[in-house]
């Protein structure tokens, strides 16, 4: 393991809901864990400890992105793409299969270099995500902590069928598919219950229900029996109700809720994972830049409004809300999760402090890993980021980190390892 390390002269933001900058602290890391946090006056250097002077920089928990699709890199196309056909072609040859897997692993490493020390992958190609997770854990690859669902479960004509989701037709097939996925050793199960903006066919009606209640129920029952939680893509009100009534644990995206839906969230102890970023290009970009059709613009605005209203209502009613940025959608890259926090404050009226808490300890609680990571706390994994400026004053500081540490492995100047897409940066920076 790495040498014992003392990080000195850092201003610590611990990731708790009421976090305040803590000065004159020394963070001691040994064998990948935070072993102590002491005042600088109490600390006594010794010859066995490497000292890293952070020179007054801010140190905060590594970010946790709860909604990632590793096969995507944020590229956009002027013409609609047949993702199902593309995936089938790529998976038909040994060489192209290897290229796809290596690209997914590269995108996972970019997440880490951008300051995201944990990702939750909710729909990928075959079992590549669990393979990459295991290779990172064994030291064969560099990347963040990964919680994976592998390929999601959908229905014929459902969301992402044939690309990052496999179709079932009956409750019996749904149970069988959950068991098949379980053999790949995932961390959760993902369902695609409704459609979305990308596959909408009717203007003004995105998020149409695709998966029947009996299939949702069967999948959730089988997953829970095997010890897995269930996440579900939901962008419509009808799908939201069916998901909550039949056992889904986390709603990904959301839709405008009513009192019954809010009661169902509470009754079933479900959480919401807010994803504002992917709707922004459809709702806010100029069509000549987003390549969005009129239907895409209209549906994108409806979905964005639904996600925001669901998030606001959940927060007002004490329902857990997490954050993900749905990497893989057009213009959403593997390095820009920090923008999701900014949109969370802008559209959901939360503070910078609450946004940072949500993307760290709050997300860890929803993912069930808060005993391991999510805050700067003795005994937890040494997962943190370092930046010059205070993110509690300006969240854009999170996009300019000078260091990232995962399980005690510190990477200096990680952003130099990322090649950013300048035109995407400019488009988001120009949003009014």
């Amino acid at each position: 393991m790495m040498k014992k390390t003392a990080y000195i002269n850092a201003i610590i933001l611990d990731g708790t809901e009421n976090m305040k900058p803590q000065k004159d602290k020394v963070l001691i890391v040994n064998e990948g864990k935070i072993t102590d946090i002491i005042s600088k006056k109490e600390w006594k250097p010794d010859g066995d400890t490497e000292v890293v002077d952070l020179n007054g920089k801010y140190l905060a928990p590594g970010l946790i992105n709860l909604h990632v699709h590793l096969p995507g890199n944020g590229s956009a196309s002027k013409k609609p793409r047949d993702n199902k056909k593309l995936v089938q072609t790529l998976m038909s040859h040994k060489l192209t299969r290897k290229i796809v897997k290596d690209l997914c692993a590269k995108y996972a490493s970019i997440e880490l270099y951008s300051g995201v020390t944990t990702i939750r992958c909710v729909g990928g190609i075959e079992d590549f995500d669990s393979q990459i997770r295991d290779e990172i854990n064994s030291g064969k690859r560099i990347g963040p902590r990964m919680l994976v669902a592998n390929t999601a479960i959908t229905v014929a004509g459902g969301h992402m069928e044939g690309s990052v989701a496999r179709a079932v037709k009956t409750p019996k097939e749904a149970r069988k598919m959950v068991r098949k996925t379980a053999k790949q050793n995932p961390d959760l199960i993902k369902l695609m219950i409704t459609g979305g903006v990308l596959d909408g066919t009717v203007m003004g009606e995105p998020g149409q229900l695709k998966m029947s209640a009996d299939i949702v129920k069967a999948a959730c029952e089988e997953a829970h029996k095997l010890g897995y939680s269930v996440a579900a893509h939901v962008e419509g009100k009808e799908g939201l109700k069916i998901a909550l009534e039949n056992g889904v644990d986390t709603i990904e995206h959301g839709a405008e809720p009513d009192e019954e839906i809010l009661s169902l969230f509470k009754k079933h102890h479900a959480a919401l994972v807010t994803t504002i970023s992917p709707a922004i290009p459809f709702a806010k970009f100029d069509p000549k830049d987003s390549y969005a059709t009129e239907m895409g613009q209209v549906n994108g605005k409806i979905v964005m409004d639904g996600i925001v209203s669901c998030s606001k209502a959940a927060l007002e009613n004490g329902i857990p809300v997490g954050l993900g940025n749905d990497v893989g959608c057009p213009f959403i890259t593997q390095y820009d999760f920090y923008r999701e926090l900014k949109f969370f404050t802008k559209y959901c009226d939360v503070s910078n402090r609450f946004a940072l808490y949500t993307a760290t300890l709050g997300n860890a609680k929803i993912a069930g890993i808060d005993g391991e990571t999510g805050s700067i706390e003795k005994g937890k994994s040494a997962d943190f980021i370092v930046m010059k400026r205070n993110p509690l004053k300006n969240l854009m500081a999170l996009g300019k980190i000078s260091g990232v540490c995962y399980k005690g492995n510190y990477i200096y100047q990680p952003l130099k390892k990322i090649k950013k897409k300048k035109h995407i940066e400019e488009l988001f920076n120009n949003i009014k």
Side-chain angles (χ1 to χ4, degrees):
M1 264 312 222
M2 64 293 297
K3 190 176 182 180
K4 183 178 179 182
T5 306
Y7 294 89
I8 66 172
N9 296 323
I11 303 172
I12 295 176
L13 299 169
D14 63 13
T16 57
E17 192 168 352
N18 297 310
M19 73 182 95
K20 295 180 180 179
Q22 301 176 48
K23 296 182 178 180
D24 300 320
K25 296 287 187 179
V26 176
L27 187 75
I28 308 297
V29 173
N30 194 20
E31 296 187 348
K33 299 282 188 180
I34 298 171
T35 57
D36 213 347
I37 305 170
I38 57 178
S39 70
K40 190 174 181 181
K41 291 181 179 179
E42 296 175 350
W43 176 65
K44 294 181 180 180
D46 60 68
D48 295 327
T49 302
E50 179 183 358
V51 178
V52 177
D53 190 342
L54 294 178
N55 296 306
K57 294 186 177 72
Y58 288 83
L59 185 154
L63 302 178
I64 298 173
N65 189 345
L66 287 186
H67 198 108
V68 170
H69 298 284
L70 283 183
N73 68 351
S75 61
S77 176
K78 292 182 179 180
K79 297 180 179 180
R81 286 184 297 209
D82 188 338
N83 289 321
K84 180 178 180 179
K85 183 178 180 180
L86 176 61
V87 170
Q88 288 176 341
T89 300
L90 292 171
M91 294 298 100
S92 64
H93 301 282
K94 185 177 180 179
L95 176 59
T96 51
R97 287 174 64 88
K98 183 180 185 304
I99 290 172
V100 170
K101 180 183 171 182
D102 287 345
L103 275 174
C104 289
K106 176 185 176 182
Y107 296 152
S109 69
I110 289 174
E111 290 275 353
L112 178 61
Y113 296 145
S114 73
V116 177
T117 53
T118 299
I119 60 175
R120 180 169 168 264
C121 301
V122 286
I125 296 175
E126 296 187 357
D127 64 341
F128 287 173
D129 288 352
S130 59
Q131 288 184 39
I132 294 166
R133 175 202 61 194
D134 294 346
E135 289 165 7
I136 290 172
N137 290 343
S138 67
K140 293 180 180 179
R141 293 185 187 269
I142 294 174
R145 177 183 294 97
M146 290 178 58
L147 305 174
V148 306
N150 286 337
T151 306
I153 299 172
T154 188
V155 294
H159 194 59
M160 307 308 291
E161 180 199 2
S163 56
V164 297
R166 292 186 294 258
V168 299
K169 296 179 181 178
T170 66
K172 185 177 180 179
E173 286 186 9
R175 291 180 184 275
K176 184 178 179 181
M177 189 65 76
V178 170
R179 293 194 296 272
K180 181 178 179 180
T181 303
K183 291 180 180 179
Q184 300 170 349
N185 192 28
D187 299 288
L188 67 152
I189 299 296
K190 172 70 180 298
L191 306 180
M192 302 291 197
I193 293 178
T194 75
V197 179
L198 293 174
D199 53 11
T201 57
V202 179
M203 186 181 295
E205 295 183 25
Q208 292 178 317
L209 181 66
K210 301 289 185 178
M211 185 176 286
S212 64
D214 56 349
I215 291 178
V216 175
K217 183 177 181 180
C220 289
E221 285 180 348
E222 196 68 25
H224 292 156
K225 184 171 72 174
L226 296 172
Y228 296 109
S229 62
V230 180
H233 167 101
V234 179
E235 291 184 357
K237 191 171 181 178
E238 187 179 7
L240 189 52
K241 182 180 177 182
I242 284 176
L244 293 169
E245 286 179 331
N246 291 284
V248 167
D249 299 290
T250 62
I251 299 295
E252 312 292 311
H253 315 304
E256 186 173 357
D258 54 24
E259 289 302 318
E260 181 184 10
I261 286 171
L262 293 172
S263 295
L264 287 170
F265 264 110
K266 294 177 182 179
K267 178 181 178 180
H268 298 289
H269 306 287
L272 173 69
V273 176
T274 295
T275 59
I276 301 171
S277 294
I280 293 287
F282 292 94
K284 300 292 183 180
F285 286 7
D286 189 305
K288 68 179 177 59
D289 295 319
S290 66
Y291 315 133
T293 63
E294 184 181 1
M295 181 172 69
Q297 287 181 281
V298 171
N299 288 354
K301 180 69 165 56
I302 292 171
V303 167
M304 180 176 170
D305 290 345
I307 289 171
V308 170
S309 66
C310 197
S311 185
K312 284 183 173 181
L315 291 170
E316 291 171 0
N317 285 272
I319 296 164
V321 175
L323 291 177
N325 68 337
D326 205 358
V327 172
C329 288
F331 303 99
I332 311 304
T333 71
Q334 300 287 355
Y335 57 77
D336 63 1
F337 177 55
Y338 68 92
R339 280 203 195 95
E340 185 67 29
L341 282 71
K342 189 68 177 177
F343 295 144
F344 192 42
T345 62
K346 181 176 182 178
Y347 296 108
C348 297
D349 302 322
V350 301
S351 67
N352 289 356
R353 178 179 283 102
F354 188 79
L356 183 56
Y357 157 75
T358 301
T360 54
L361 187 55
N363 274 358
K365 289 178 178 179
I366 289 173
I369 55 173
D370 52 305
E372 180 182 2
T373 190
S375 60
I376 305 301
E377 185 178 344
K378 184 177 178 179
K380 289 193 175 182
S381 180
D383 305 339
F384 59 82
I385 54 176
V386 174
M387 64 217 98
K388 291 182 179 180
R389 302 192 182 281
N390 184 356
L392 300 186
K393 292 186 176 180
N394 188 342
L395 287 170
M396 298 306 286
L398 299 170
K400 299 178 181 180
I401 62 171
S402 58
V404 60
C405 187
Y406 172 55
K407 291 187 176 180
N409 294 291
Y410 191 76
I411 303 170
Y412 292 89
Q413 301 298 328
L415 296 182
K416 290 185 177 181
K417 300 177 183 291
I418 299 173
K419 186 177 181 180
K420 295 188 176 183
K421 300 176 185 292
K422 291 184 179 180
H423 71 288
I424 292 180
E425 300 290 304
E426 291 172 356
L427 289 172
F428 276 105
N429 289 338
N430 290 332
I431 292 174
K432 295 181 180 179

